Amino acid sequence: MANETFIGWMTAIQQQMETALERLLPAADCAPQRLHQAMRYATLEGGKRVRPLLAFAAGELVDAKPDNLARIGAALEMIHSYSLVHDDMPCMDNDVLRRGKPTCHVAFDEATALLVGDALQTRAFELISQPMAGVAVASQLEMTHTLAHASGHAGMAGGQAIDLASVGLPLSMPELEFMHMLKTGALIRASVLMGAMAGRELSAAEKQALDAFAKRIGLAFQVVDDILDCEADTATLGKTAGKDAAHDKPTYVSLLGLPEAKRMAKDLHDQAFAALQGFGPQADRLKQLADYIVARSF
Ligand code: GRG
């Protein structure tokens, strides 16, 4: 029953995000049409919207306004979609399938895909730097800083650089963890923190607890991604399965083996739950999302 309620909530937020993204992305019939069409192609109708869901769930802790959370969610999803477009390009992972459809550079062309990433990234910052009703300017500045830090050299882009340099190398566990904390974990962590910046101020202890949750769940997301890459099929994932092993990429599965990687995902999930102990029922959505992230099948 509780699970049904969660699925209803998740579906409603996913629909709300689709509507917000439709509105906040540039119109397809407005010049330059090809770029705008490709930005919409890469962002709309696809993806689980995990980062916006985390921002909405964290927003519940602080009674944040849904309109502001939708804008924060759209910014997060634009950064995430840009990273997928660039990651799929021939100079990086060179993949042809993403979110169940041809990758952006295949459906359009490489130059357009490069520009899609650039334009989605800057659009994200345009969105979160516009005034938000009821949110202090200082909080918005903190949000902008958090998103920039999580996306750049000390976050996602840095993690991607380590990933590209690690192919075929036997990474140690701390090295693998560092790479994933940056590449995947940083934006997931930022999603939680940014949602919580859109409402009432949390105490220092609450912020610390939420950050501990966000870090654990960011890492759990990646461990599960590694497991799915070797256990799920391409049709279910909507992206090419088995790529990590084929590209000789170090993963939690290659380092620990499947059973131990599964145990690690469960441990991280339990640690994430424990971090939320001090919050009341307002943290229930975050807990349900943690369950979903660890139990998901794609
Ligand atoms: C190009 C700067 C730059 C960074 C790329 C995110 C990333 C860094 C690469 C994607 C490669 C990858 C498969 C990473 C593993 C975790 C991950 C981000 C999976 C995709 O995210 P989901 O599952 O995707 O949230 P959907 O499609 O549901 O949005």
Side-chain angles (χ1 to χ4, degrees):
M1 186 64 184
N3 194 36
E4 272 173 40
T5 313
F6 169 70
I7 289 171
W9 173 82
M10 181 165 78
T11 308
I13 302 293
Q14 286 166 334
Q15 282 165 357
Q16 199 175 329
M17 282 314 305
E18 205 62 25
T19 308
L21 286 165
E22 279 272 355
R23 184 171 47 82
L24 297 170
L25 283 162
D29 59 357
C30 174
Q33 286 92 342
R34 189 171 172 81
L35 175 64
H36 292 171
Q37 284 160 12
M39 287 169 76
R40 298 178 74 85
Y41 176 86
T43 314
L44 295 172
E45 292 165 32
K48 300 175 288 294
R49 313 301 189 202
V50 164
R51 293 146 194 85
L53 286 164
L54 283 165
F56 268 88
E60 285 200 6
L61 276 183
V62 295
D63 304 312
K65 289 185 170 48
D67 282 357
N68 291 335
L69 292 170
R71 188 124 59 87
I72 293 167
L76 286 161
E77 201 57 29
M78 286 186 198
I79 295 281
H80 171 57
S81 299
Y82 122 67
S83 80
L84 299 180
V85 169
H86 280 190
D87 182 66
D88 289 332
M89 288 181 70
C91 59
M92 295 212 193
D93 254 19
N94 193 18
D95 213 331
V96 295
L97 187 69
R98 172 70 67 182
R99 292 174 163 175
K101 53 189 186 184
T103 47
C104 189
H105 68 276
V106 170
F108 292 83
D109 56 79
E110 278 186 47
T112 302
L114 195 64
L115 288 172
V116 162
D118 297 339
L120 284 175
Q121 175 160 213
T122 42
R123 180 69 181 140
F125 285 101
E126 194 179 353
L127 288 176
I128 52 158
S129 56
Q130 275 164 8
M132 285 183 193
V135 179
V137 171
S139 300
Q140 258 193 273
L141 194 60
E142 197 183 356
M143 252 179 235
T144 311
H145 176 89
T146 301
L147 187 60
H149 190 76
S151 311
H153 72 96
M156 190 177 71
Q160 179 77 346
I162 301 173
D163 183 312
L164 292 171
S166 305
V167 174
L169 295 181
L171 291 192
S172 66
M173 267 301 277
E175 286 169 336
L176 187 69
E177 189 165 313
F178 179 64
M179 173 175 86
H180 287 311
M181 284 299 264
L182 268 56
K183 189 178 108 165
T184 318
L187 195 61
I188 291 195
R189 176 179 172 223
S191 306
V192 175
L193 301 183
M194 287 168 68
M197 285 170 198
R200 75 172 170 86
E201 178 83 9
L202 292 175
S203 70
E206 285 174 323
K207 281 183 191 171
Q208 212 174 16
L210 196 63
D211 195 24
F213 168 85
K215 282 181 181 156
R216 300 297 184 284
I217 212 60
L219 204 52
F221 183 92
Q222 182 61 55
V223 178
V224 172
D225 205 76
D226 287 357
I227 294 169
L228 289 175
D229 185 72
C230 78
E231 278 201 325
D233 56 47
T234 298
T236 309
L237 290 179
K239 62 181 179 181
T240 313
K243 261 177 49 176
D244 294 335
H247 291 193
D248 198 13
K249 280 198 173 184
T251 67
Y252 288 102
V253 176
S254 70
L255 224 70
L256 299 173
L258 253 178
E260 200 52 42
K262 285 182 181 176
R263 192 167 12 249
M264 183 175 175
K266 188 189 173 309
D267 287 350
L268 287 164
H269 165 275
D270 294 351
Q271 289 162 18
F273 253 59
L276 296 177
Q277 217 171 18
F279 293 101
Q282 274 185 307
D284 283 356
R285 288 290 180 222
L286 282 173
K287 290 182 181 165
Q288 289 166 339
L289 262 177
D291 288 344
Y292 166 75
I293 283 171
V294 173
R296 72 199 161 97
S297 56
F298 65 98

